[in-house]
Amino acid sequence: METTLRDLKGQLQQVAKIRDMEAKLAPSKTGVERRTPSDEERRLIKEVNELKKKGGFQVTDPATQLKTAMQAIKTRLQNEIRDLEHAVATGERITARKGTPQYDAEARALVEQRNARRAEYDAAFPKQPLTEAQRIERAGKALDASIAALEADIRNGRIWPDKTSRRLTSPELEARRARLEALRAERETLRDADITAQEQAKEDALAKQIPRPPRQGAER
């Protein structure tokens, strides 16, 4: 009963902060309790922190982090797993966060579990297709990267391909390369046949437009 009351109190504190910031007011500072928040309170805390960033509110907190870095990673992964399950169950989108720390065996197992839930989440919320402006922006960034790489090669005198790089090969890769070349050859054959058919169709259409000379019986 006491744990439930503390949890409800924590949720109400976060809701009050959200209302303050929606009203363009700095959120009131609350005391720190050494307890683990529930999933619902944690989601409210996350919403509060996002609103702090968007609104530019600066609220200092003297609380110190007692957990080790690895334990914090495991906790974050466990929280993300529950968030993904909650999103799929309720139909509410969440904002994914990225990170590249070094994981131990238990953390890697949590990553695999998180990825499985991520697959369910992606199936529930498919990505929207890119707009033409977004595709143009991505293409521009790719071209800028290619230009920068080529400029660096020219500055450093690398004007020839690196012959020391070894081509990756394996029976599976070579089989796929052979299949790719066969498909390319087949496509070229189909293209040539299509061009020939188009040219023949043009000649047939032109021949139909040329008037034929009248027959002698018709002249009589």
Side-chain angles (χ1 to χ4, degrees), residues 111-146:
V111 169
E112 293 179 1
Q113 186 179 356
R114 187 274 313 273
N115 292 341
R117 299 297 179 271
R118 170 62 63 184
E120 296 177 5
Y121 177 81
D122 291 340
F125 304 104
K127 294 182 179 180
Q128 299 296 326
L130 295 176
T131 64
E132 183 177 0
Q134 291 173 328
R135 291 197 298 269
I136 291 174
E137 182 181 3
R138 291 194 176 189
K141 290 181 179 179
L143 289 171
D144 289 341
S146 298

Side-chain angles (χ1 to χ4, degrees), residues 17-28:
K17 292 179 182 180
I18 292 173
R19 290 179 177 175
D20 287 343
M21 286 184 284
E22 287 178 346
K24 307 300 182 182
L25 299 174
S28 57

Side-chain angles (χ1 to χ4, degrees), residues 60-220:
T60 59
D61 189 349
T64 59
Q65 177 57 265
L66 300 179
K67 297 180 181 179
T68 63
M70 184 53 62
Q71 185 59 41
I73 289 172
K74 296 173 185 177
T75 301
R76 179 179 60 80
L77 288 169
Q78 291 169 342
N79 291 340
E80 190 173 354
I81 290 169
R82 290 197 293 270
D83 286 344
L84 291 168
E85 292 174 343
H86 176 79
V88 173
T90 61
E92 297 176 358
R93 287 181 178 272
I94 60 176
T95 302
R97 296 186 178 184
K98 299 180 180 179
T100 56
Q102 297 296 323
Y103 295 160
D104 62 7
E106 183 181 356
R108 287 193 294 270
L110 289 171
V111 169
E112 293 179 1
Q113 186 179 356
R114 187 274 313 273
N115 292 341
R117 299 297 179 271
R118 170 62 63 184
E120 296 177 5
Y121 177 81
D122 291 340
F125 304 104
K127 294 182 179 180
Q128 299 296 326
L130 295 176
T131 64
E132 183 177 0
Q134 291 173 328
R135 291 197 298 269
I136 291 174
E137 182 181 3
R138 291 194 176 189
K141 290 181 179 179
L143 289 171
D144 289 341
S146 298
I147 291 171
L150 187 54
E151 289 176 342
D153 287 344
I154 293 174
R155 284 196 306 269
N156 297 321
R158 295 192 298 265
I159 60 175
W160 297 103
D162 186 6
K163 296 181 180 180
T164 60
S165 59
R166 183 175 64 86
R167 179 186 182 184
L168 291 177
T169 182
S170 71
E172 293 81 4
L173 290 177
E174 294 305 324
R176 292 175 183 175
R177 289 185 178 119
R179 175 62 176 163
L180 180 61
E181 292 301 323
L183 288 172
R184 286 174 176 171
E186 182 180 355
R187 182 180 62 182
E188 290 301 319
T189 301
L190 292 173
R191 284 176 175 175
D192 293 339
D194 186 57
I195 292 174
T196 302
Q198 291 179 13
E199 294 295 333
Q200 186 62 45
K202 291 179 182 179
E203 293 179 2
D204 293 344
L206 183 61
K208 291 180 180 179
Q209 295 175 0
I210 299 176
R212 295 180 179 178
R215 293 180 298 176
Q216 294 182 357
E219 292 178 355
R220 293 194 186 96

Side-chain angles (χ1 to χ4, degrees), residues 20-51:
D20 287 343
M21 286 184 284
E22 287 178 346
K24 307 300 182 182
L25 299 174
S28 57
K29 186 177 177 181
T30 57
V32 178
E33 296 184 13
R34 301 196 180 280
R35 61 181 178 84
T36 301
S38 66
D39 289 343
E40 186 59 30
E41 183 182 356
R42 185 171 49 78
R43 277 187 280 272
L44 289 170
I45 292 173
K46 183 179 179 181
E47 184 177 352
V48 167
N49 292 333
E50 292 296 330
L51 288 173

